[in-house]
Amino acid sequence: MLQLLATCRRPQLVAACRNGCLRASTNVNWRQERRQASTEVAAAEMSNASGMVGFWQTLSHSTPVAYMQDALTQIHDYSGLPWWASIVLSTFLFRGIITLPLTIYQHRITARIEMIALEMPALVEQLKREAAMAKQKFKWSDKQTAIVYKRSIKKQWQKLIVRDNCHPMKTLIVLWGQIPLWIFQSVALRNLVYLLPDPLALQAQITATEMTIGGFGWIPNLTVVDSSYILPVTLGLINLAIVEVQSMTRTRPPTRLQNIFNNVFRGLSVVMVPVACTVPSALCVYWVASSSFGLAQNLLLLSPPVRKAVGIPKTPTELQQPYEQLWLKIQKRARILAETPADKTANK
């Protein structure tokens, strides 16, 4: 067409056609770019969603989860117990083998740190005298003296930690054992309920069928949610009890950071209730059993004879009659909660 117009020697028409073609091509390019941009956004959203699915799928197919699934199946087969009792037995077994020794080790480290903290006041006084003498001898300024004094205290503290092998970071060792165990066993039970990772496997179908009749009482089927909400509420109450027991048995006033952690764990305990209402009952049974073990473990390690038997050093802050003191604090807190505003005003 352009060639035809050129041969007719009509430059105005040629220019107009060229401008029209350029506008049309520009509109087409703009539409294509816009379509491509929207396609890229949709692809990014799908990749994010598929990334989460891929993460859970990878975790579900991971080797630790596979070993945990096999262990749960073996314990059920050899014990001959129904699935709910087998889940409880395996929970106590794994926590007794893994988390209980780590918790005892944590208490040992905490007791050693408390004992070396008692040595610091004498060392601090000695370092103060040495810093004052050095200030006069070397004509240091107050700022230089304070810097040397702080470095000396830090160095002495590090020496005591190395001497007793009780670095504060070792107190977190329980989390490194308990959190992976909780995740792997939860995912393994979920796999058993949903016939994962291979729904066509005969063993997976047998296990899922056994779980449909392996419950107890109001939850005969462990593959469905607890519609009565008994287990989820029980889970929340036990987790709250763990937090409150740790708070009430603390002999020193809590720090600001400890108060923050207590409130965070209280919030998580409440949040876990609606979460537990949406998962199969097999997971609820496991979570309740695990939390019950944790509560019993904390109460047991309050006893001075038990602490002595497992090698936890005695400290000045150790409660001599922990259960009596805990019961008194529970009664005191219950009275405070039961008092009406008028009673509180009258007592004041």
Side-chain angles (χ1 to χ4, degrees):
M1 176 103 180
L2 294 177
Q3 291 178 355
L4 179 60
L5 292 173
T7 57
C8 294
R9 295 181 181 179
R10 293 184 180 179
Q12 296 85 356
L13 293 176
V14 174
C17 288
R18 283 179 178 171
N19 291 335
C21 290
L22 287 174
R23 290 194 191 96
S25 62
T26 302
N27 290 335
V28 170
N29 292 336
W30 178 77
R31 289 171 184 169
Q32 288 179 349
E33 291 176 357
R34 189 173 180 183
R35 187 180 298 112
Q36 183 179 0
S38 62
T39 304
E40 291 176 354
V41 171
E45 293 177 353
M46 291 180 65
S47 64
N48 291 335
S50 63
M52 289 300 297
V53 174
F55 169 76
W56 288 112
Q57 188 174 8
T58 301
L59 181 61
S60 178
H61 290 71
S62 63
T63 302
V65 172
Y67 282 135
M68 181 62 72
Q69 278 185 246
D70 185 62
L72 292 173
T73 305
Q74 294 294 332
I75 291 173
H76 171 261
D77 292 342
Y78 281 105
S79 65
L81 297 172
W83 262 108
W84 73 268
S86 177
I87 292 172
V88 174
L89 174 63
S90 61
T91 302
F92 289 172
L93 182 63
F94 292 144
R95 291 212 54 172
I97 294 175
I98 298 175
T99 62
L100 179 58
L102 293 178
T103 304
I104 293 173
Y105 182 73
Q106 180 194 44
H107 279 268
R108 290 174 183 171
I109 297 298
T110 304
R112 291 175 189 173
I113 293 174
E114 185 176 342
M115 294 302 293
I116 65 174
L118 298 176
E119 301 180 31
M120 286 303 296
L123 293 175
V124 167
E125 291 299 325
Q126 181 181 352
L127 291 174
K128 282 182 179 179
R129 291 193 297 268
E130 293 178 357
M133 294 173 59
K135 179 182 179 182
Q136 294 178 354
K137 182 176 181 181
F138 300 107
K139 307 300 180 182
W140 288 345
S141 64
D142 293 339
K143 185 177 181 180
Q144 290 175 324
T145 306
I147 292 174
V148 174
Y149 171 69
K150 291 179 180 179
R151 287 179 180 174
S152 300
I153 289 180
K154 186 176 180 180
K155 188 176 180 180
Q156 289 296 330
W157 177 254
Q158 293 294 336
K159 284 183 178 180
L160 293 176
I161 287 177
V162 172
R163 184 196 69 186
D164 290 355
N165 190 20
C166 58
H167 195 282
M169 289 299 294
K170 291 184 177 181
T171 58
L172 303 177
I173 193 171
V174 176
L175 299 179
W176 293 103
Q178 185 171 340
I179 292 178
L181 175 64
W182 189 87
I183 292 175
F184 293 148
Q185 192 164 354
S186 296
V187 177
L189 284 170
R190 180 180 177 274
N191 284 357
L192 293 176
V193 170
Y194 294 121
L195 289 81
L196 297 175
D198 183 11
L200 300 179
L202 179 61
Q203 181 60 44
Q205 296 174 0
I206 293 174
T207 301
T209 304
E210 290 175 342
M211 280 196 169
T212 59
I213 57 174
F216 65 94
W218 67 94
I219 46 169
N221 186 354
L222 294 178
T223 63
V224 298
V225 299
D226 182 9
S227 57
S228 67
Y229 305 127
I230 294 177
L231 285 179
V233 173
T234 303
L235 174 66
L237 292 176
I238 294 175
N239 287 335
L240 284 174
I242 293 174
V243 177
E244 298 306 323
V245 166
Q246 292 178 344
S247 175
M248 288 188 288
T249 55
R250 190 178 290 117
T251 54
R252 296 179 179 178
T255 63
R256 184 167 177 263
L257 185 61
Q258 288 174 338
N259 285 329
I260 292 174
F261 276 117
N262 284 340
N263 292 329
V264 169
F265 288 127
R266 289 186 183 108
L268 290 176
S269 301
V270 175
V271 169
M272 282 299 294
V273 175
V275 173
C277 292
T278 62
V279 300
S281 299
L283 281 173
C284 282
V285 171
Y286 164 59
W287 291 348
V288 170
S290 180
S291 296
S292 300
F293 186 93
L295 178 60
Q297 171 184 274
N298 291 345
L299 292 173
L300 183 65
L301 291 178
L302 287 175
S303 172
V306 173
R307 294 173 65 88
K308 182 179 179 181
V310 297
I312 300 175
K314 187 176 180 179
T315 61
T317 60
E318 181 179 301
L319 297 175
Q320 298 303 314
Q321 296 179 332
Y323 305 118
E324 290 81 355
Q325 295 180 20
L326 179 62
W327 178 241
L328 288 175
K329 289 187 177 181
I330 292 174
Q331 290 178 323
K332 182 179 179 181
R333 183 170 296 186
R335 283 197 297 269
I336 292 175
L337 293 176
E339 285 182 354
T340 63
D343 295 335
K344 294 180 181 180
T345 305
N347 291 334
K348 290 181 180 179

